[in-house]
């Protein structure tokens, strides 16, 4: 009917957050639903015509404290997003007063806790190390793939391809990343990391995120790189990873890969009806 709107409320709130510059639009859909289409996600992601984000996250009711759903900037979905999970966990802790949370995602059950000093930890679960779990397109050993540079494949609820190089800062990531994101060995595309050792259990890493591009940080990529480094005997299972946006601490324990770092809730805003309907 003329005059009727898909979004009857003149404003629909969202939060802008980031973890080390890896930035997110977060919508609390526990009480007010917002149906996300690929076109809507791409529109919100646009940094000139929308809000801008690396990932969009929905907070929904779940079996635990909340269920999280993630969208990339190109409108595709991702089962996991480590930094967004930490940001939302911090928000939910402040909202509820809890210091431990049980979150559900398409990756599975994730557990978060207050690590003190303003830091938040999330257990990203056990890494996926078998070719069809990551997934790869054919059976093979995942420690050193038959790709120039012999990268390591790891799944963290999303696929990863980690290259250990002499100097990560010298890699032209804007060219290197998309070339490997679409490699035929990765049927669902892949996140791409380049990393080198700074010192014992200390890694410098840069990341190309599938469906996004170069990002200042990535939590799941940091977990995958830490796992790959430990598997290759380059580090122990507890490492510091320095990214373009700051530092994360990764600890691969018996119960999963724990990631710890800072978060920031930048502002709360509202989408207008006119903006949502334009998409």
């Amino acid at each position: 009917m003329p005059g009727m709107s898909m979004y009857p409320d003149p404003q629909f709130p969202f939060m802008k957050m980031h973890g080390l510059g890896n930035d997110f639009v977060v919508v609390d859909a526990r009480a007010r639903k917002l149906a996300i289409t690929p076109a809507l996600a791409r529109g919100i992601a646009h940094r000139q015509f929308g809000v801008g984000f690396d990932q969009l996250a929905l907070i929904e009711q779940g079996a635990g404290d909340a269920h999280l759903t993630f969208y990339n900037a190109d409108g595709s979905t991702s089962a996991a997003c480590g930094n967004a999970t930490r940001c939302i966990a911090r928000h939910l802790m402040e909202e509820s007063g809890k210091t431990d949370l049980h979150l559900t995602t398409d990756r599975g059950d994730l557990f978060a806790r207050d690590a003190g000093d303003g830091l938040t930890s999330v257990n990203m679960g056990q890494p996926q190390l078998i070719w069809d779990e990551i997934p790869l397109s054919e059976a093979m050993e995942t420690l050193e793939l038959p790709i120039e540079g012999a990268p390591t494949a790891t799944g963290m609820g999303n696929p990863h391809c980690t290259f250990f190089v002499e100097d990560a800062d010298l890699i032209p990531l804007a060219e290197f990343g998309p070339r490997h994101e679409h490699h035929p060995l990765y049927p669902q595309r892949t996140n791409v990391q380049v990393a080198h050792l700074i010192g014992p259990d200390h890694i410098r890493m840069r990341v190309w995120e599938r469906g996004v591009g170069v990002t200042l940080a990535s939590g799941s990529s940091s977990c995958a790189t830490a796992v790959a480094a430990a598997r290759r005997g380059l580090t122990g299972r507890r490492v510091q990873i320095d990214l373009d946006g700051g530092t994360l601490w990764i600890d691969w324990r018996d119960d999963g890969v724990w990631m710890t770092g800072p978060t920031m809730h930048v502002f709360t805003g509202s989408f207008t009806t006119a903006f949502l309907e334009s998409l």
Side-chain angles (χ1 to χ4, degrees):
M1 293 178 61
M4 291 190 68
S5 169
M6 291 176 59
Y7 310 103
D9 194 320
Q11 293 187 327
F12 202 108
F14 67 90
M15 296 175 282
K16 186 68 184 288
M17 300 178 171
H18 77 81
L20 306 181
N22 188 193
D23 67 324
F24 315 106
V25 165
V26 179
V27 175
D28 190 341
R30 287 174 292 178
R32 306 174 62 202
K33 301 298 183 183
L34 178 62
I36 302 296
T37 64
L40 180 60
R42 289 192 296 270
I44 297 171
H46 200 291
R47 295 191 182 276
Q48 285 75 43
F49 293 103
V51 180
F53 63 73
D54 292 332
Q55 275 83 28
L56 169 70
L58 286 185
I59 308 174
E60 300 173 294
Q61 298 289 354
D65 291 291
H67 181 80
L68 310 183
T69 304
F70 306 105
Y71 298 82
N72 295 317
D74 68 352
S76 61
T77 59
S78 180
C81 182
N83 279 329
T85 301
R86 289 192 309 100
C87 286
I88 294 168
R90 173 56 59 181
H91 167 71
L92 294 176
M93 288 176 190
E94 292 177 350
E95 174 186 83
S96 66
K98 295 182 178 181
T99 56
D100 292 274
L101 297 176
H102 171 201
L103 305 173
T104 58
T105 69
D106 290 345
R107 155 75 160 140
D109 294 319
L110 303 181
F111 297 89
R113 63 178 176 83
D114 183 349
D117 298 322
L119 303 178
T120 305
S121 295
V122 170
N123 184 347
M124 294 297 292
Q126 291 292 352
Q128 297 151 321
L129 308 178
I130 308 301
W131 71 274
D132 57 346
E133 296 176 345
I134 292 171
L136 301 178
S137 59
E138 56 187 275
M140 65 183 64
E141 170 56 50
T142 61
L143 189 61
E144 294 188 0
L145 299 181
I147 299 173
E148 183 179 0
T152 297
T154 311
M156 290 301 310
N158 49 10
H160 296 271
C161 184
T162 306
F163 292 82
F164 291 98
V165 300
E166 185 173 340
D167 189 338
D169 292 299
L170 297 181
I171 301 298
L173 199 54
E175 302 170 7
F176 187 88
R179 185 165 75 247
H180 291 93
E181 176 189 352
H182 297 275
H183 195 283
L185 278 182
Y186 284 90
Q188 297 179 7
R189 301 181 293 162
T190 185
N191 299 281
V192 181
Q193 304 89 33
V194 293
H196 69 261
L197 293 180
I198 296 175
D201 298 332
H202 192 180
I203 296 172
R204 164 71 172 129
M205 188 196 83
R206 298 172 62 215
V207 60
W208 173 276
E209 287 200 69
R210 66 170 180 167
V212 182
V214 177
T215 56
L216 295 178
S218 168
S220 62
S221 290
S222 298
C223 293
T225 296
V227 168
R231 290 180 68 201
R232 295 175 74 137
L234 301 174
T235 67
R237 291 165 66 109
R238 185 174 184 176
V239 299
Q240 174 180 326
I241 297 188
D242 294 344
L243 303 109
D244 289 339
T247 297
L248 289 173
W249 291 268
I250 311 298
D251 191 0
W252 182 12
R253 305 178 191 172
D254 291 340
D255 64 343
V257 183
W258 284 86
M259 172 181 53
T260 302
T263 62
M264 181 58 65
H265 181 170
V266 182
F267 66 86
T268 297
S270 297
F271 302 118
T272 66
T273 299
F275 171 69
L276 294 174
E277 291 186 337
S278 74
L279 304 175

